[in-house]
Amino acid sequence: MPYVDRQNRICGFLDIEDVENSGKFLRRYFILDTQQGSLLWYMDNPQNLPVGAKHVGFLSLTYISKVSDATKQRPKAEYCFVINAGMRKYFLQANDQQDLVEWVNALNNATKITVPKSSDPVHSESQKLTSNGNKKQVPYKTEIIAGVAVVTQTQDGEVGHSVAGEKLGLRKPPNHPPYLHTRAGQDQAVIKAGYCVKQGALMKNWKRRYFVLEQNSMSYFKSDLEKEPLRIILLKEVHKVQECKHSEIMMRDNLFEVVTTSRTFFVQADSPEEMHGWIKAISGAIVAQRGPGRSAASMRQARRHSSPCIQRYTPRVTQGSTEGHSWAL
């Protein structure tokens, strides 16, 4: 589902038909910027691209006449909707039905216009934009040019949107119950899997990795096609997992941290919903492994106490003898 970033833009991953009527869809990261009046799409989240990376597609909101469900027009493309813009139709594929509905509503709200009276072809009026019950009036100017209604904002003003959650990442895997889907070549059942962006340990760069959470560990791979993980994080070494308190400083949305004995892993999910999903899944796996209320430190202490005692011999001088002997545990 789409989410709102720090610049009050609606963002998320969608698949877009590369060439109209080709049937070939490509994964792109979309940004709906109502203040700039544009819909842009990038190869990936711009935060993960080199500085200055340009968008690969652009559509002015003034050219969008209607956005609607297109599952009947594209029966082979699941959760498909269409943007009608002038002489072109843009077919896009959402992640699920809720994702489709929220994108369609957000785009329609952002491009909603009121046709002016016939006696006053050019005038200003307030356009009501509604999202999840929040309303804000923004002045727009509507003109009829060559029979086409073109709307432009007449003065600066923010257009607020409150869109709930999202599931972005790459294409969603089938909705299997926990512990029922397994990765090839692995003995443990997979609790949760998906793409996230992780900060490197040395260069501090950010790279997209495929994460797999299992009963006793969390691993990340270069892609979902790889069989050998780049690293395995044992859950018994994890002290805590939580939403990152330094996300503002690091300029990363949907950031959470996995704190272990030797290192803190900073991981960025594709949406707030995904971030909370990962935190809940990892925390649940840790509780299932250790039992409620037991930390990594308490587990290590318990292991030390459960180990056989090693006696250490130390000499001690006692009264009435030259030297006595005692054992200290």
Side-chain angles (χ1 to χ4, degrees):
M1 278 74 70
Y3 72 97
V4 180
D5 68 2
R6 290 187 179 85
Q7 300 179 50
N8 206 34
R9 304 175 303 179
I10 298 176
C11 310
F13 281 96
L14 292 168
D15 294 345
I16 184 170
E17 193 174 43
D18 186 25
V19 179
E20 190 174 0
N21 297 320
S22 67
K24 181 182 178 181
F25 288 78
L26 301 176
R27 192 71 168 172
R28 296 291 181 258
Y29 187 86
F30 283 77
I31 297 179
L32 174 59
D33 192 336
T34 54
Q35 298 183 48
Q36 297 297 324
S38 61
L39 176 68
L40 305 96
W41 52 98
Y42 296 79
M43 294 292 291
D44 194 3
N45 187 330
Q47 295 180 345
N48 305 325
L49 297 174
V51 177
K54 301 295 183 180
H55 54 263
V56 296
F58 169 85
L59 184 59
S60 175
L61 299 183
T62 59
Y63 292 103
I64 298 177
S65 58
K66 184 180 179 182
V67 184
S68 58
D69 190 312
T71 50
K72 292 184 179 180
Q73 297 170 264
R74 290 286 190 274
K76 294 184 179 179
E78 195 175 19
Y79 312 122
C80 186
F81 65 96
V82 59
I83 298 176
N84 294 276
M87 302 298 292
R88 170 78 191 270
K89 290 185 177 181
Y90 295 84
F91 288 90
L92 299 101
Q93 196 172 8
N95 296 293
D96 54 31
Q97 185 61 34
Q98 185 181 354
D99 194 27
L100 182 151
V101 171
E102 293 193 3
W103 270 110
V104 170
N105 289 340
L107 287 165
N108 278 325
N109 285 332
T111 59
K112 191 181 296 180
I113 64 172
T114 303
V115 179
K117 299 176 182 178
S118 57
S119 59
D120 184 15
V122 180
H123 74 289
S124 295
E125 62 184 335
S126 294
Q127 179 188 33
K128 294 182 179 180
L129 298 179
T130 306
S131 178
N132 287 358
N134 296 328
K135 298 183 179 180
K136 188 168 185 178
Q137 293 184 343
V138 179
Y140 275 80
K141 178 175 71 176
T142 307
E143 299 173 272
I144 304 298
I145 301 176
V148 178
V150 178
V151 59
T152 54
Q153 192 168 323
T154 57
Q155 68 182 41
D156 294 335
E158 290 187 351
V159 181
H161 293 268
S162 176
V163 181
E166 72 58 54
K167 161 67 180 141
L168 307 174
L170 296 177
R171 178 62 51 211
K172 274 188 174 180
N175 292 325
H176 296 300
Y179 302 103
L180 290 186
H181 51 291
T182 59
R183 186 174 178 84
Q186 292 181 334
D187 296 330
Q188 298 184 52
V190 175
I191 300 172
K192 185 175 177 63
Y195 280 92
C196 292
V197 178
K198 183 191 71 67
Q199 186 187 53
L202 300 177
M203 302 299 294
K204 303 300 180 184
N205 54 343
W206 296 84
K207 292 185 178 180
R208 184 168 288 274
R209 296 292 184 240
Y210 187 75
F211 284 76
V212 175
L213 174 64
E214 298 172 302
Q215 295 172 353
N216 299 315
S217 65
M218 183 173 69
S219 310
Y220 55 87
F221 303 75
K222 192 172 184 180
S223 74
D224 59 341
L225 302 178
E226 300 292 328
K227 293 184 178 180
E228 294 297 325
L230 296 173
R231 181 158 185 162
I232 299 175
I233 305 170
L234 298 178
L235 296 184
K236 65 182 181 180
E237 298 298 330
V238 176
H239 293 292
K240 59 183 176 180
V241 54
Q242 62 185 10
E243 185 174 353
C244 183
K245 299 177 181 178
H246 308 293
S247 58
E248 292 287 343
I249 300 175
M250 302 180 76
M251 294 299 294
R252 289 272 161 175
D253 296 314
N254 318 316
L255 191 66
F256 66 97
E257 56 187 15
V258 180
V259 182
T260 69
T261 306
S262 58
R263 175 183 166 189
T264 297
F265 294 85
F266 293 101
V267 184
Q268 181 187 20
D270 287 327
S271 70
E273 184 185 37
E274 267 294 280
M275 177 191 68
H276 292 299
W278 275 107
I279 293 174
K280 184 177 180 180
I282 298 170
S283 300
I286 292 174
V287 170
Q289 183 190 64
R290 302 174 186 166
R294 305 193 70 178
S295 64
S298 65
M299 288 293 289
R300 286 195 300 272
Q301 186 177 5
R303 284 197 295 269
R304 285 199 299 268
H305 285 305
S306 62
S307 301
C309 294
I310 301 176
Q311 292 184 322
R312 185 174 68 255
Y313 175 82
T314 58
R316 185 176 62 185
V317 177
T318 59
Q319 186 176 2
S321 66
T322 305
E323 184 178 8
H325 303 278
S326 66
W327 290 95
L329 298 180

